[in-house]
Amino acid sequence: DIVMTQTPLSLSVTPGQPASISCKSSQSLLHSDGKTYLYWYLQKPGQPPQLLIYEVSNRFSGVPDRFSGSGSGTDFTLKISRVEAEDVGVYYCMQSIQLPRVTFGGGTKVEIK
Amino acid sequence: EVQLVESGGGLIQPGGSLRLSCAASGFTVSSNYMSWVRQAPGKGLEWVSVIYSGGSTYYADSVKGRFTISRDNSKNTLYLQMNSLRAEDTAVYYCARDGQLSIWGQGTMVTVSS
C-alpha cells in the first residue's frame, strides 16, 4: 500500500495568517491517464470529513478560494491563504491511484491561536 | 439534496455480528462507487471496503473474510455486514460516495467490548 505522510502533526495559526500542510506519498500519484490522484479533506470537530481539494489543485463545490492545493509526483501542499476560525479541525490527504485501496495521511490538526 | 445516513451501530461483544446500513437520497447507490471508511477513537481514517457500480467488491486486509459489503437497489441502501467482530474494529463507520469520497454520511459508532 502507498504510505501517505503529513507534516506537521499540528499547527496553531493566528486568524488572518496563512497556513501550509505538506503531504508526501511513498510512490508517485501520477496516473498513466495524466491525472494525479491526490485529495484533501477537512474534518471539523464532531463532523465527518469533507472534501476540499481533488486531483491536487481543484477546489470542490462550495470550498472557499482561500484553500489551494499544489504539488506533483510524490510531494503535495495544502495552503490556506488567511485562516479563519471555521477552518479548525484535522486535515487529511488521501491517494486513490491504487483504487480500490485508498490510503490516508495521518492528519494535521489546525487550531486557532 | 444528496445525503447519506448511516445506522446500525452499537455495543457488541467480541465475536458478535452487526449490520450497518447507509441510506442514500438524491442519487442512486447502484450507479456509484460506494465505500465504507472507519475511524477508531482519536485516530485517523482507514478505508474498509468498496462496492463498484458493476458489483465488484474489495476489502481491507484487516476485515477480509469477516466483513461483507452489499447494496439493496430497491431501497437505495448500502450495507456492511460485520462478523467475528474484534475490539480493534471499534470505530465510527462512515459511508462515502464515489472515488473522490465527495459525500460522507454522519457516521455510526460501533463498540466491540465485553
Side-chain angles (χ1 to χ4, degrees):
Chain A
D1 288 355
I2 296 177
V3 177
M4 306 295 288
T5 303
Q6 286 182 236
T7 55
L9 288 179
S10 64
L11 209 47
S12 184
V13 187
T14 300
Q17 293 301 302
S20 180
I21 300 170
S22 171
C23 176
K24 297 183 187 297
S25 58
S26 59
Q27 300 175 36
S28 175
L29 302 186
L30 174 62
H31 195 276
S32 57
D33 64 8
K35 296 181 180 179
T36 300
Y37 290 92
L38 185 281
Y39 301 81
W40 290 98
Y41 301 85
L42 165 60
Q43 186 173 29
K44 297 182 179 182
Q47 295 187 21
Q50 58 187 82
L51 177 62
L52 294 177
I53 302 286
Y54 63 94
E55 294 165 16
V56 179
S57 59
N58 300 285
R59 278 187 299 276
F60 188 57
S61 175
V63 174
D65 60 7
R66 64 179 180 275
F67 291 93
S68 64
S70 62
S72 63
T74 61
D75 288 359
F76 305 94
T77 301
L78 175 71
K79 292 183 178 178
I80 310 173
S81 58
R82 296 173 304 281
V83 172
E84 297 187 4
E86 66 183 23
D87 301 336
V88 299
V90 181
Y91 290 78
Y92 294 94
C93 59
M94 183 197 81
Q95 67 78 23
S96 68
I97 194 173
Q98 279 192 346
L99 279 178
R101 296 179 181 279
V102 303
T103 50
F104 296 89
T108 296
K109 185 174 183 178
V110 172
E111 60 180 20
I112 298 295
K113 276 185 183 176
Chain B
E1 180 189 7
V2 173
Q3 193 175 9
L4 293 167
V5 178
E6 300 95 335
S7 61
L11 175 63
I12 188 78
Q13 291 189 340
S17 297
L18 214 52
R19 188 179 79 158
L20 306 183
S21 300
C22 169
S25 55
F27 72 98
T28 302
V29 164
S30 61
S31 299
N32 281 268
Y33 176 113
M34 298 294 298
S35 299
W36 288 97
V37 176
R38 69 184 180 184
Q39 185 172 36
K43 303 297 185 181
L45 301 168
E46 179 189 18
W47 172 76
V48 173
S49 182
V50 65
I51 183 166
Y52 284 15
S53 57
S56 299
T57 60
Y58 300 90
Y59 302 91
D61 290 344
S62 57
V63 307
K64 196 176 299 181
R66 300 188 297 123
F67 290 12
T68 302
I69 191 171
S70 64
R71 66 191 181 207
D72 184 329
N73 297 344
S74 67
K75 295 182 178 179
N76 206 31
T77 298
L78 177 73
Y79 299 102
L80 186 67
Q81 177 67 44
M82 305 187 296
N83 299 331
S84 303
L85 283 161
R86 306 167 180 168
E88 54 265 35
D89 296 319
T90 294
V92 175
Y93 285 73
Y94 297 101
C95 57
R97 188 189 79 172
D98 66 47
Q100 298 182 344
L101 304 183
S102 64
I103 306 295
W104 295 64
Q106 286 297 312
T108 187
M109 182 71 203
V110 173
T111 303
V112 184
S113 175
S114 55

